[in-house]
Amino acid sequence: MIFRISRSCFSSISVKLPPFKVHHLELDQLPQTATTTSAELLAYYKSMQLQRRMEIACDNLYKQRLIRGFLHLADGQESIYEGLHAGLTFDDCVITAYRDHCIALLRGDTPHQIIAEMMAKQTGSTKGKGGSMHYYKKATNFYGGHGIVGAQIPLGTGLAFAQKYLKKPNVTLIMFGDGAANQGQLYEAANMAQLWHLPAIYFIENNLFGMGTSIDRASANTKFYTRGDVIPGIQIDGNNVFQVRETLKFAKKHCLEKGPIFIEAMTYRYHGHSMSDPGVTYRTREEVQQQRKTRDCINYVKNIILENKVADEHQLEEIDNTAQNEIDIAVEQAKVDPVPPSTELATDVYVDNQNHFIRGILYKDSILPKSQ
Amino acid sequence: MQLLRKVYRFGSTKHRFASDIKSTNRQKMNLFQAINNALDIELGANPKALLFGEDVKFGGVFRCSQGLNEKYGTDRVFNTPLCEQGIGAFGIGLASVGYTAIAEIQFGDYIFPAFDQIVNEAAKFRYRSGDQFNCGSLTIRSTWGAVGHGALYHSQSPEAYFAHTPGLKVVVPRDPIQAKGLLLASIRDKNPVIFFEPKALYRNAEDEVPLDDYELELSKAEVVQQGKHITLIGYGTQIRVLKEAAKLAEKDGVSCEIIDLQTIYPYDGQTLVDSVKKTGRCIISHEAPQTCGMGAELSAYIQERCFLHLEAPIKRVTGYDTPFPLVHEPIYLPDKFKIYEAIKQSVNY
């Protein structure tokens, strides 16, 4: 990665952004540089390390069978989540698919809540009823957490419609992957968004593979930022937290003034699609290692920190250890938490939940409905 | 990579029951290998057979299409993008011009984007065109049922939605031998068939599967175990649970007759009625939620024809009316204890 750093006397650091690719937009509308400060750099570094450590911890827990079911890790893509956190506010809605742990973290859940949820404990973010794919947070407008590919896209478009209808100065970030970009529902939703000028950001996390299928074997047009047809689009380097941040700021302004926009963030996931995918049958180990060496999003920030002498290796190591510690404590706590009681099987099905007879594992432990 | 088994192409033989197959030419196979064998036979015997779906080319996420792309080429065994509606509709189109389209939907939980195509286009094609066109050579294979940790979106049993659609056939095998025969019959049946494969049994169920090309009749239920006192009806993975429950009941001197429905729709009502007229009691069990599940349909059908023979109300032991849960799966599932309980209540009525 080539960047030029210049330090101003107010200890703010200027970072040159990688080139953009645009569709139905002018390049000069987009910023060439981003400014940051020492404090901000360290904050990004710490947050991304926390995300990375959390994902690795989940990998370990899965292998120990303490997390079961389906687990989709996002290590390698942390800068996207950090960038969206920096570029948008908690009043902007976010909706995504199942690679959602880091967004949950940035939208206000603690590592303990997140890990507990994956372990299906009642202290988890969604009472232990959702699991790895279903994180939500009403207070920070995080609308989840969805299992069916592409289903969140029209849903997010609805959120954007509501924001416009209620005249809110906010946007909805609708996140999905390169695989989901071939779902028909995306085009139905995007058409509505453009027709009605909705403040919807269609954000494609292009990590080059939809499970094990490379983008060229799944998509006739792999320039995902152009897939919105008449909707403007931008392609960015998703592993550059500053570019993600600045693009989202631009996108927000665009959405509130004009209508929807497509953003394609090029990125890479180190793990396979999920824990049942080793991730090396459709790409080589060398490719994964190469990505780690040359395009890692945390190393990018680390290099800026070291180059600008914001901190030294030793201080960064301390931050790493603090992050690791935080995750370790969360894991230990989650391990001893209880699973949700059996009554939770039949709650939240309806709003005025119908009372069911819930048979316990042993008949004598059954729960009788109130009406009986 | 496993070598594909030798395929016998003496022409298909049709059987009512797997026990009718006299072939000694058998090989130990699990469910995904049996499915693989069936697909291999069809692709070999029928040059117009095509197999497609998500990740089918490299062998499939459950290994069902292992080796088939290498053997038959990418113009016959190929991947589609991630678009279930597209897969379903594409299959209908192919079938309507005479190709044998075998479409794979990776998880039954994902079949819903294709629901409109299946229910409105596939099921009604022959009817609305006055038999000028049809998509009878379409078979949709999908995975089905609980697997221990699948949670909301990898465990569903959607058979009831499709059983409610005249024009379709819905089939669920219980074991590798049945799976191979029923799949070949489904593919060759001249109506669109949805074939649900119990994912929990892909590796766990093993049997000595005949290597021949054989079909098992659709719309025929099989009495898996003879009994005197009560009829237990189920399909797919649930047959194993019924057998366990029957063992528990046997200790109390209750003899259970177990019937595998096999074809969910159109189902073999006669076998069910004959059995219940003999035993006088009936329990229907399935993983899918209770309301409007297959249990509801079969109960209505049986009581209509066996009313005077029934000694107790027909019971349904099924999943609860909730989304398929995460950690509460053991409580949700209709296990052998719940069925045993229902047997006791029925016998003591």
Side-chain angles (χ1 to χ4, degrees), chain A residues 6-297:
Chain A
S6 62
R7 214 202 292 236
S8 84
C9 51
F10 296 108
S11 77
S12 81
I13 299 162
S14 173
V15 175
K16 187 169 189 318
L17 296 177
F20 293 85
K21 285 207 186 121
V22 289
H23 173 71
H24 291 323
L25 280 173
E26 300 302 318
L27 267 174
D28 54 21
Q29 294 172 272
L30 292 161
Q32 301 233 355
T33 57
T35 34
T36 183
T37 64
S38 321
E40 191 176 77
L41 280 165
L42 289 170
Y44 287 166
Y45 181 82
K46 175 160 189 230
S47 175
M48 291 202 282
Q49 268 296 359
L50 196 65
Q51 292 176 50
R52 177 73 56 95
R53 305 280 162 152
M54 184 177 75
E55 295 294 78
I56 306 287
C58 297
D59 175 292
N60 290 332
L61 288 169
Y62 192 89
K63 288 175 178 150
Q64 292 166 41
R65 296 180 65 103
L66 292 169
I67 295 177
R68 302 189 68 216
F70 295 84
L71 187 70
H72 311 82
L73 299 174
D75 53 316
Q77 303 183 193
E78 294 87 352
S79 49
I80 291 182
Y81 313 120
E82 197 60 46
L84 78 89
H85 179 66
L88 300 172
T89 70
F90 283 159
D91 290 323
D92 297 312
C93 301
V94 174
I95 194 168
T96 185
Y98 42 76
R99 215 172 292 279
D100 56 350
H101 310 157
C102 299
I103 303 179
L105 185 64
L106 289 166
R107 283 261 144 169
D109 277 338
T110 63
H112 169 239
Q113 282 174 305
I114 295 170
I115 294 172
E117 181 61 37
M118 279 187 250
M119 294 169 76
K121 301 294 175 86
Q122 76 181 23
T123 44
S125 314
T126 32
K127 299 200 237 177
K129 293 174 77 157
S132 155
M133 295 197 285
H134 308 292
Y135 287 96
Y136 297 80
K137 198 143 191 100
K138 192 163 178 189
T140 54
N141 289 305
F142 175 37
Y143 284 82
H146 299 266
I148 302 297
V149 172
Q152 75 276 17
I153 301 172
L155 228 151
T157 309
L159 296 174
F161 185 90
Q163 286 172 321
K164 183 166 177 119
Y165 196 87
L166 297 170
K167 296 191 169 51
K168 292 195 172 159
N170 297 111
V171 298
T172 301
L173 183 70
I174 303 166
M175 304 176 75
F176 53 98
D178 44 277
N182 296 318
Q183 279 278 325
Q185 39 193 334
L186 163 58
Y187 302 96
E188 293 184 23
N191 177 54
M192 286 192 268
Q194 179 68 356
L195 209 52
W196 300 327
H197 307 293
L198 303 183
I201 304 175
Y202 293 97
F203 192 96
I204 302 143
E205 296 175 82
N206 181 359
N207 54 25
L208 309 177
F209 295 95
M211 258 175 43
T213 306
S214 70
I215 51 176
D216 341 84
R217 289 187 299 126
S219 298
N221 174 6
T222 53
K223 295 195 175 74
F224 296 101
Y225 66 105
T226 65
R227 295 282 283 267
D229 190 23
V230 298
I231 300 176
I234 313 174
Q235 188 196 72
I236 60 171
D237 177 2
N239 285 12
N240 185 314
V241 61
F242 300 105
Q243 192 169 37
V244 177
R245 178 185 84 189
E246 295 306 313
T247 310
L248 284 171
K249 283 189 189 159
F250 170 85
K252 181 167 177 175
K253 202 160 155 295
H254 181 276
C255 284
L256 292 171
E257 283 165 23
K258 302 207 180 91
I261 193 168
F262 268 53
I263 299 178
E264 177 189 346
M266 306 298 296
T267 184
Y268 202 83
R269 51 166 163 79
Y270 296 142
H271 272 86
H273 162 75
S274 70
M275 290 304 292
S276 49
D277 170 19
V280 286
T281 51
Y282 47 87
R283 52 185 198 180
T284 60
R285 274 188 217 278
E286 288 74 44
E287 181 188 300
V288 183
Q289 279 159 10
Q290 183 70 5
Q291 290 279 338
R292 267 194 207 270
K293 262 205 310 230
T294 59
R295 281 195 70 215
D296 185 85
C297 54

